[in-house]
Amino acid sequence: MSAIDVAAVKRDFPLLARQVNGRRVVYLDSASSAQKPVAVLYAMDDAYRNHYANIHRGVYTIAEEATAAFEDARRKVARFVNASRTEEIVFTRNATESINLVAYTWARANLKAGDAIVLSHMEHHANVVPWQMLAAERGVELRWIPLTADFRLDLTNLDALLDGARLLAVSAMSNVLGTINDIRPLADAAHAHGALVLVDACQFVPHVATDVQAWDADFVAFSSHKILGPTGIGALWARYDLLDAMPPFLGGGEMIRDVRLDGFTTNDLPWKFEAGTPAIVEAVGFGAAIDYISALGMDAVRAHERLITAYALEALRDRFDDSLTIYGPTDVDVRGGAVSFLFDGIHAHDISQVLDEDAVCVRAGHHCAKPLMRQLGVPATTRASFYVYNDEADVDALVEALAKAQKFFAV
Ligand SMILES: Cc1ncc(COP(=O)(O)O)c(C=O)c1O
């Protein structure tokens, strides 16, 4: 029995009532971006219809309402990840921008040639390329935590990798493998070596109760659109003292306290990092999404995901046996609901296209993790990913559509 009433949840998502090719949509691409409940759509509609003005500048009622709604959303995000202070939440465009913010401010202010950053082989490009850009510019060394045969971080040489490192930047949950990384011991090890810890929590925050303080992390990046919220807004959580000491990122309005001909002073946190008009209504939607998922309960969300992932892993194994290879841990205690796989002899894109005929939406490709694909020795995988609105019937539809694809390509 699921901890979530999935039938009721499904009714909250208008897109899931749609048909494609005469069939109900089976949406299995939430690791890429989640669908939006009516609560989020209503909140954004109401914000535009009744409370819209630019924020922080106006002293009239509507501008004050818009400002209050924006800052209220920040409080919701702060509570959602258990930040100790609301000012530790910086709104960005997405997780990618959050990581770049750290790379352009903290890292460029603090790292020099010969310093090292430790990453892992399972990172998304968002947590690889900003560091490669920095490495090329500054002569910073990048080191890599490899993977074990069961798709987890191989921590055998962690101490050697962290020796002399200034930053450990690692994902809390892989968007390809589903692997959940135990952040606290990683943070303890990094801190013991004098390195800070950045957590790419883009896949983790939507699915598992997140406590940035229990992690003892220094920076945590995530996006609204994977948590049932709108695109265009994400967040960086960082320890207050770090944010306070970091130079600003983008320059312009909002991020200043004063500007003279000979220079400027920066605004208080978190606005020091929020130059220009922010994504006001998106923040409201982000807050509404957090309200929605919190009402389901993050423990129930995680329990449901374990259930549905276990069901999917078993169903795929039972039906296809050795002709289908799953890339990711088999133990649902250490993985989330992103399930990547390959059929022997059928390209991932071909699978995805055939599945679309049955309105089964999965993703095929490198999933923005090309270094990982190279480690796995495959050009691409097909990925089905689950969220609160997916049930066993969705998994069954996936399995039936895959069986059709298998027949079509006559493996
Ligand atoms: C693990 C991980 N990190 C970072 C990102 C980047 O997120 P965004 O595109 O919202 O910036 C993603 C998106 O798929 C992801 O899965």
Tab-separated table of all heavy atoms in Angstrom, residues 19 25 36 50 66 73 83 99 104 109 117 122 160 174 198 226 236 244 255 286 289 311 323 337 354 367 369 378 407:
chain	number	residue	atom	x	y	z
A	19	GLN	N	-4.472	13.266	-23.449
A	19	GLN	CA	-4.222	12.076	-24.251
A	19	GLN	C	-3.190	12.424	-25.322
A	19	GLN	O	-3.172	13.544	-25.834
A	19	GLN	CB	-5.508	11.626	-24.939
A	19	GLN	CG	-6.625	11.312	-23.969
A	19	GLN	CD	-7.215	9.941	-24.198
A	19	GLN	OE1	-7.325	9.488	-25.321
A	19	GLN	NE2	-7.582	9.269	-23.126
A	25	VAL	N	-1.670	9.892	-21.021
A	25	VAL	CA	-0.247	10.160	-20.871
A	25	VAL	C	0.291	9.416	-19.656
A	25	VAL	O	-0.281	9.481	-18.568
A	25	VAL	CB	0.004	11.679	-20.714
A	25	VAL	CG1	1.422	11.949	-20.212
A	25	VAL	CG2	-0.235	12.397	-22.030
A	36	LYS	N	3.095	20.000	-13.081
A	36	LYS	CA	2.699	21.040	-12.115
A	36	LYS	C	1.257	20.817	-11.645
A	36	LYS	O	0.347	20.691	-12.485
A	36	LYS	CB	2.793	22.437	-12.748
A	36	LYS	CG	4.046	22.672	-13.596
A	36	LYS	CD	5.350	22.416	-12.866
A	36	LYS	CE	6.530	22.466	-13.821
A	36	LYS	NZ	7.735	21.826	-13.247
A	50	ASN	N	-3.782	39.474	-9.368
A	50	ASN	CA	-4.217	40.306	-8.231
A	50	ASN	C	-3.125	40.966	-7.403
A	50	ASN	O	-3.406	41.863	-6.625
A	50	ASN	CB	-5.076	39.439	-7.286
A	50	ASN	CG	-6.301	38.890	-7.990
A	50	ASN	OD1	-7.021	39.640	-8.645
A	50	ASN	ND2	-6.532	37.590	-7.876
A	66	ALA	N	3.304	41.988	-3.288
A	66	ALA	CA	4.185	41.181	-4.149
A	66	ALA	C	5.484	40.867	-3.409
A	66	ALA	O	5.979	39.733	-3.441
A	66	ALA	CB	4.469	41.921	-5.453
A	73	ALA	N	7.849	33.039	0.025
A	73	ALA	CA	8.329	31.852	-0.700
A	73	ALA	C	9.734	31.495	-0.227
A	73	ALA	O	10.067	30.320	-0.050
A	73	ALA	CB	8.320	32.114	-2.207
A	83	ALA	N	17.112	25.200	6.611
A	83	ALA	CA	18.143	26.238	6.753
A	83	ALA	C	17.999	26.872	8.126
A	83	ALA	O	16.878	27.009	8.631
A	83	ALA	CB	17.970	27.294	5.663
A	99	ILE	N	25.186	26.550	-8.795
A	99	ILE	CA	26.551	26.012	-8.766
A	99	ILE	C	27.522	27.015	-9.395
A	99	ILE	O	28.616	27.260	-8.873
A	99	ILE	CB	26.602	24.633	-9.474
A	99	ILE	CG1	25.742	23.631	-8.691
A	99	ILE	CG2	28.051	24.126	-9.585
A	99	ILE	CD1	25.488	22.302	-9.396
A	104	TYR	N	31.814	31.135	-9.461
A	104	TYR	CA	32.260	32.479	-9.844
A	104	TYR	C	32.581	33.367	-8.642
A	104	TYR	O	33.326	34.335	-8.767
A	104	TYR	CB	31.222	33.163	-10.746
A	104	TYR	CG	31.409	32.759	-12.180
A	104	TYR	CD1	30.678	31.720	-12.735
A	104	TYR	CD2	32.375	33.370	-12.982
A	104	TYR	CE1	30.881	31.297	-14.042
A	104	TYR	CE2	32.589	32.967	-14.286
A	104	TYR	CZ	31.843	31.933	-14.817
A	104	TYR	OH	32.062	31.516	-16.098
A	109	ALA	N	37.309	33.664	-5.652
A	109	ALA	CA	37.915	34.507	-4.608
A	109	ALA	C	38.907	33.725	-3.755
A	109	ALA	O	39.780	34.308	-3.122
A	109	ALA	CB	36.821	35.094	-3.715
A	117	ILE	N	39.897	20.356	-6.513
A	117	ILE	CA	38.460	20.169	-6.295
A	117	ILE	C	38.166	18.700	-6.566
A	117	ILE	O	38.633	18.146	-7.572
A	117	ILE	CB	37.624	21.051	-7.247
A	117	ILE	CG1	37.869	22.532	-6.940
A	117	ILE	CG2	36.139	20.724	-7.138
A	117	ILE	CD1	37.173	23.484	-7.894
A	122	MET	N	29.770	10.429	-11.266
A	122	MET	CA	28.325	10.415	-11.545
A	122	MET	C	27.723	11.814	-11.629
A	122	MET	O	26.510	11.961	-11.627
A	122	MET	CB	27.572	9.554	-10.516
A	122	MET	CG	27.567	10.073	-9.115
A	122	MET	SD	26.397	9.149	-8.052
A	122	MET	CE	27.274	7.630	-7.724
A	160	ALA	N	42.937	10.121	0.180
A	160	ALA	CA	43.998	10.568	-0.736
A	160	ALA	C	43.447	11.624	-1.693
A	160	ALA	O	44.109	12.627	-1.978
A	160	ALA	CB	44.543	9.378	-1.513
A	174	SER	N	21.985	10.647	-7.986
A	174	SER	CA	22.332	10.688	-9.412
A	174	SER	C	21.077	10.720	-10.278
A	174	SER	O	20.149	9.941	-10.059
A	174	SER	CB	23.181	9.469	-9.767
A	174	SER	OG	23.176	9.279	-11.170
A	198	LEU	N	30.065	21.159	-1.464
A	198	LEU	CA	28.914	21.608	-2.248
A	198	LEU	C	28.103	20.377	-2.630
A	198	LEU	O	28.657	19.414	-3.168
A	198	LEU	CB	29.371	22.352	-3.508
A	198	LEU	CG	28.235	22.826	-4.422
A	198	LEU	CD1	28.569	24.183	-5.048
A	198	LEU	CD2	27.891	21.828	-5.526
A	226	LYS	N	11.881	20.714	-10.646
A	226	LYS	CA	11.853	19.263	-10.387
A	226	LYS	C	11.031	18.939	-9.135
A	226	LYS	O	10.838	17.786	-8.787
A	226	LYS	CB	13.273	18.737	-10.253
A	226	LYS	CG	14.068	18.818	-11.563
A	226	LYS	CD	15.367	18.102	-11.482
A	226	LYS	CE	16.409	18.635	-12.445
A	226	LYS	NZ	16.353	18.060	-13.779
A	236	LEU	N	20.076	28.521	-4.140
A	236	LEU	CA	21.339	28.126	-3.523
A	236	LEU	C	21.167	28.333	-2.028
A	236	LEU	O	20.794	29.430	-1.597
A	236	LEU	CB	22.492	29.009	-4.017
A	236	LEU	CG	23.813	28.802	-3.244
A	236	LEU	CD1	24.419	27.438	-3.560
A	236	LEU	CD2	24.808	29.915	-3.564
A	244	ASP	N	28.239	35.712	3.427
A	244	ASP	CA	28.603	37.051	3.880
A	244	ASP	C	29.996	37.440	3.378
A	244	ASP	O	30.232	38.593	2.999
A	244	ASP	CB	28.547	37.074	5.419
A	244	ASP	CG	28.424	38.485	5.939
A	244	ASP	OD1	27.776	39.306	5.253
A	244	ASP	OD2	29.001	38.773	7.006
A	255	MET	N	21.157	44.424	-5.803
A	255	MET	CA	22.254	43.798	-5.057
A	255	MET	C	23.128	44.849	-4.367
A	255	MET	O	24.112	44.501	-3.726
A	255	MET	CB	23.098	42.862	-5.937
A	255	MET	CG	23.633	43.387	-7.235
A	255	MET	SD	25.001	44.552	-7.099
A	255	MET	CE	26.319	43.497	-6.534
A	286	PHE	N	6.948	28.424	-6.734
A	286	PHE	CA	7.900	27.563	-6.022
A	286	PHE	C	7.373	27.316	-4.593
A	286	PHE	O	7.318	26.167	-4.113
A	286	PHE	CB	9.260	28.274	-5.993
A	286	PHE	CG	10.453	27.448	-5.568
A	286	PHE	CD1	10.343	26.108	-5.222
A	286	PHE	CD2	11.717	28.035	-5.533
A	286	PHE	CE1	11.467	25.363	-4.850
A	286	PHE	CE2	12.841	27.306	-5.158
A	286	PHE	CZ	12.711	25.971	-4.808
A	289	ALA	N	4.443	25.008	-4.657
A	289	ALA	CA	4.866	23.620	-4.898
A	289	ALA	C	5.364	22.992	-3.601
A	289	ALA	O	5.078	21.831	-3.304
A	289	ALA	CB	5.956	23.586	-5.970
A	311	TYR	N	8.883	-1.942	-7.426
A	311	TYR	CA	7.939	-2.588	-8.338
A	311	TYR	C	8.473	-2.549	-9.772
A	311	TYR	O	8.424	-3.554	-10.499
A	311	TYR	CB	6.580	-1.876	-8.238
A	311	TYR	CG	5.501	-2.477	-9.097
A	311	TYR	CD1	4.778	-3.590	-8.668
A	311	TYR	CD2	5.198	-1.929	-10.343
A	311	TYR	CE1	3.781	-4.143	-9.462
A	311	TYR	CE2	4.205	-2.471	-11.144
A	311	TYR	CZ	3.492	-3.579	-10.703
A	311	TYR	OH	2.515	-4.119	-11.488
A	323	SER	N	17.998	-9.484	-21.254
A	323	SER	CA	18.055	-8.660	-22.461
A	323	SER	C	17.970	-7.165	-22.123
A	323	SER	O	18.178	-6.324	-22.986
A	323	SER	CB	16.951	-9.059	-23.451
A	323	SER	OG	15.703	-8.997	-22.826
A	337	GLY	N	14.155	7.130	-7.712
A	337	GLY	CA	13.286	6.577	-8.747
A	337	GLY	C	13.691	6.865	-10.180
A	337	GLY	O	12.857	6.794	-11.077
A	354	VAL	N	9.427	4.631	-29.868
A	354	VAL	CA	8.362	3.616	-29.932
A	354	VAL	C	7.437	3.760	-28.722
A	354	VAL	O	6.213	3.650	-28.834
A	354	VAL	CB	8.969	2.193	-30.028
A	354	VAL	CG1	7.876	1.141	-29.926
A	354	VAL	CG2	9.727	2.025	-31.336
A	367	HIS	N	21.706	12.258	-20.691
A	367	HIS	CA	21.174	12.828	-19.450
A	367	HIS	C	22.126	13.852	-18.831
A	367	HIS	O	22.233	13.968	-17.601
A	367	HIS	CB	20.838	11.723	-18.435
A	367	HIS	CG	20.096	10.567	-19.022
A	367	HIS	ND1	18.821	10.692	-19.541
A	367	HIS	CD2	20.463	9.283	-19.235
A	367	HIS	CE1	18.436	9.523	-20.024
A	367	HIS	NE2	19.415	8.664	-19.863
A	369	ALA	N	25.211	13.775	-18.543
A	369	ALA	CA	26.224	13.129	-17.703
A	369	ALA	C	27.158	12.321	-18.602
A	369	ALA	O	27.316	11.122	-18.447
A	369	ALA	CB	25.555	12.244	-16.656
A	378	VAL	N	28.607	3.282	-22.496
A	378	VAL	CA	27.425	3.346	-23.370
A	378	VAL	C	27.253	4.786	-23.871
A	378	VAL	O	27.618	5.729	-23.170
A	378	VAL	CB	26.132	2.901	-22.624
A	378	VAL	CG1	26.242	1.454	-22.184
A	378	VAL	CG2	25.834	3.796	-21.427
A	407	LYS	N	9.554	-6.446	-29.521
A	407	LYS	CA	9.003	-7.236	-30.637
A	407	LYS	C	9.259	-6.515	-31.973
A	407	LYS	O	9.663	-7.125	-32.958
A	407	LYS	CB	7.491	-7.409	-30.414
A	407	LYS	CG	6.986	-8.768	-30.852
A	407	LYS	CD	5.679	-9.080	-30.199
A	407	LYS	CE	4.664	-9.527	-31.245
A	407	LYS	NZ	3.324	-9.518	-30.723
